[in-house]
Amino acid sequence: TGAPRHHPPLLRRPRQPSIPDLVGTDSRDPADLTGNADTILLIHVPADRQNLYLVSFTRDMWVDIPGLGEGKINAAFSRGGTDTLVQTVSGLLGGAEIDYVVQSNFAGFIALTRALDGFEVDNQHASTVTVQSTGRVVDFPEGRITLSGTDGLIYVRERKRLPLGDLDRTERQRAAVVGMLDRIAERADEPEVLAELVPMLVRNVKITGDLDVDDALALVPLAAELEREDVVGLMVPITGFGERGGASVNLVDACLVFSSAAAAACGGG
């Protein structure tokens, strides 16, 4: 990101607040966007466009799934599809309206990483991962690091070697979004590059809702104008861990969820 920049008229700025939901499934088939939603990340852009809020939902949160009863939130997608996941997320946040859903899988995330020629993240916890299929050892030292190729996917999927497991994984997922936005912002003064990059990014995701390539281009100025410190990372709060039907789950703190949602909707921290 960085200081405000001039952009051509093509990059129009949408004036209304926007709430997209990013969903990453665990499908390994490039043509398959089904499976469990192992990444659920809500993005809120207030009307004043001074901040960007990233709100994570841990995949093992035990929630009410409309029409299906109780279950882990990542199963809302696999059991009921996009609409059911949207209803579940919206219900947790007091009926917040979600404008559109951007969905990808393993192959799509790798393609996005490569299209951006990698991106940087601020890594909070050092870890080392051995890739089972190849035996390759990947080190993620603490501090600012660059992720490229398949390393971006490995980074955002890791949880077992992190102090707080899945809770820390949601922080890594937010860091990856910030890094990708930074990388897109670096290209903001190159209209020819953006004309190829943004449509390619859109092709590697499935979008449910009213969002097209022009709308995606319109978000580029926002990425260019925000600094990393303008991005507020949040996680839907939990009271702790429990067990349901023999499975480990995260217990939602309902009272704090609604106060956090209200603060984000008002542009607060």
Side-chain angles (χ1 to χ4, degrees), residues 5 17 28 35 45 71 107 129 140 159-160 162 171 177 193 217 223 233-235 240 243-244 246 255 259:
R5 305 168 182 172
R28 291 162 173 78
V45 183
V129 179
F140 299 117
R159 64 184 175 91
K160 293 182 178 179
L162 301 179
E171 189 280 324
V177 171
V193 174
L217 281 167
L234 303 169
M235 185 184 73
E243 188 173 294
R244 296 289 188 275
C255 293
S259 62

Side-chain angles (χ1 to χ4, degrees), residues 108-120 146-149 152 175-188 190 193-194 196-198 200-202 204 220 223:
F109 190 87
I110 292 171
L112 294 175
T113 302
R114 287 175 171 160
L116 293 170
D117 292 326
F119 56 90
E120 292 184 337
T146 300
L147 302 173
S148 59
V177 171
V178 173
M180 286 182 162
L181 290 174
D182 258 350
R183 191 73 178 115
I184 292 172
E186 290 175 3
R187 306 293 188 88
E190 305 174 60
V193 174
L194 282 178
E196 296 181 3
L197 176 62
V198 174
M200 195 288 307
L201 296 177
V202 172
N204 277 281
V220 174

Side-chain angles (χ1 to χ4, degrees), residues 150-165:
T150 59
D151 288 357
L153 179 65
I154 295 170
Y155 179 81
V156 298
R157 293 194 66 223
E158 174 60 27
R159 64 184 175 91
K160 293 182 178 179
R161 297 165 186 81
L162 301 179
L164 295 178

Side-chain angles (χ1 to χ4, degrees), residues 197-229:
L197 176 62
V198 174
M200 195 288 307
L201 296 177
V202 172
R203 285 196 302 271
N204 277 281
V205 299
K206 176 184 177 182
I207 299 173
T208 302
D210 188 17
L211 180 76
D212 57 22
V213 172
D214 285 343
D215 294 322
L217 281 167
L219 296 174
V220 174
L222 175 64
E225 292 170 10
L226 291 175
E227 301 284 352
R228 283 185 177 241
E229 55 267 28

Side-chain angles (χ1 to χ4, degrees), residues 4-224:
R5 305 168 182 172
H6 173 73
H7 301 281
L10 172 65
L11 305 183
R12 56 186 174 81
R13 293 184 62 176
R15 297 179 179 179
Q16 299 300 318
S18 176
I19 305 182
D21 189 14
L22 303 185
V23 178
T25 70
D26 59 4
S27 173
R28 291 162 173 78
D29 182 348
D32 184 9
L33 288 172
T34 61
N36 288 313
D38 279 353
T39 299
I40 304 172
L41 184 63
L42 203 69
I43 299 180
H44 176 55
V45 183
D48 64 11
R49 313 188 77 76
Q50 297 301 304
N51 295 95
L52 183 143
Y53 294 85
L54 304 178
V55 185
S56 295
F57 299 74
T58 61
R59 67 173 191 171
D60 292 336
M61 293 177 64
W62 191 255
V63 299
D64 288 320
I65 303 175
L68 296 172
E70 294 185 324
K72 290 185 177 181
I73 194 170
N74 69 341
F77 178 76
S78 61
R79 294 171 59 193
T82 302
D83 288 345
T84 298
L85 178 61
V86 168
Q87 292 174 34
T88 303
V89 169
S90 176
L92 270 175
L93 299 179
E97 183 176 349
I98 296 172
D99 298 311
Y100 45 85
V101 178
V102 180
Q103 179 190 341
S104 190
N105 57 15
F106 288 179
F109 190 87
I110 292 171
L112 294 175
T113 302
R114 287 175 171 160
L116 293 170
D117 292 326
F119 56 90
E120 292 184 337
V121 297
D122 291 322
N123 185 33
Q124 301 298 315
H125 303 287
S127 66
T128 300
V129 179
T130 300
V131 181
Q132 292 184 357
S133 59
T134 64
R136 183 169 69 96
V137 177
V138 185
D139 289 314
F140 299 117
E142 184 177 340
R144 181 71 61 89
I145 60 175
T146 300
L147 302 173
S148 59
T150 59
D151 288 357
L153 179 65
I154 295 170
Y155 179 81
V156 298
R157 293 194 66 223
E158 174 60 27
R159 64 184 175 91
K160 293 182 178 179
R161 297 165 186 81
L162 301 179
L164 295 178
D166 200 40
L167 307 187
D168 285 330
R169 176 163 65 173
T170 66
E171 189 280 324
R172 284 192 167 189
Q173 293 165 354
R174 294 191 297 272
V177 171
V178 173
M180 286 182 162
L181 290 174
D182 258 350
R183 191 73 178 115
I184 292 172
E186 290 175 3
R187 306 293 188 88
D189 286 329
E190 305 174 60
E192 299 82 4
V193 174
L194 282 178
E196 296 181 3
L197 176 62
V198 174
M200 195 288 307
L201 296 177
V202 172
R203 285 196 302 271
N204 277 281
V205 299
K206 176 184 177 182
I207 299 173
T208 302
D210 188 17
L211 180 76
D212 57 22
V213 172
D214 285 343
D215 294 322
L217 281 167
L219 296 174
V220 174
L222 175 64

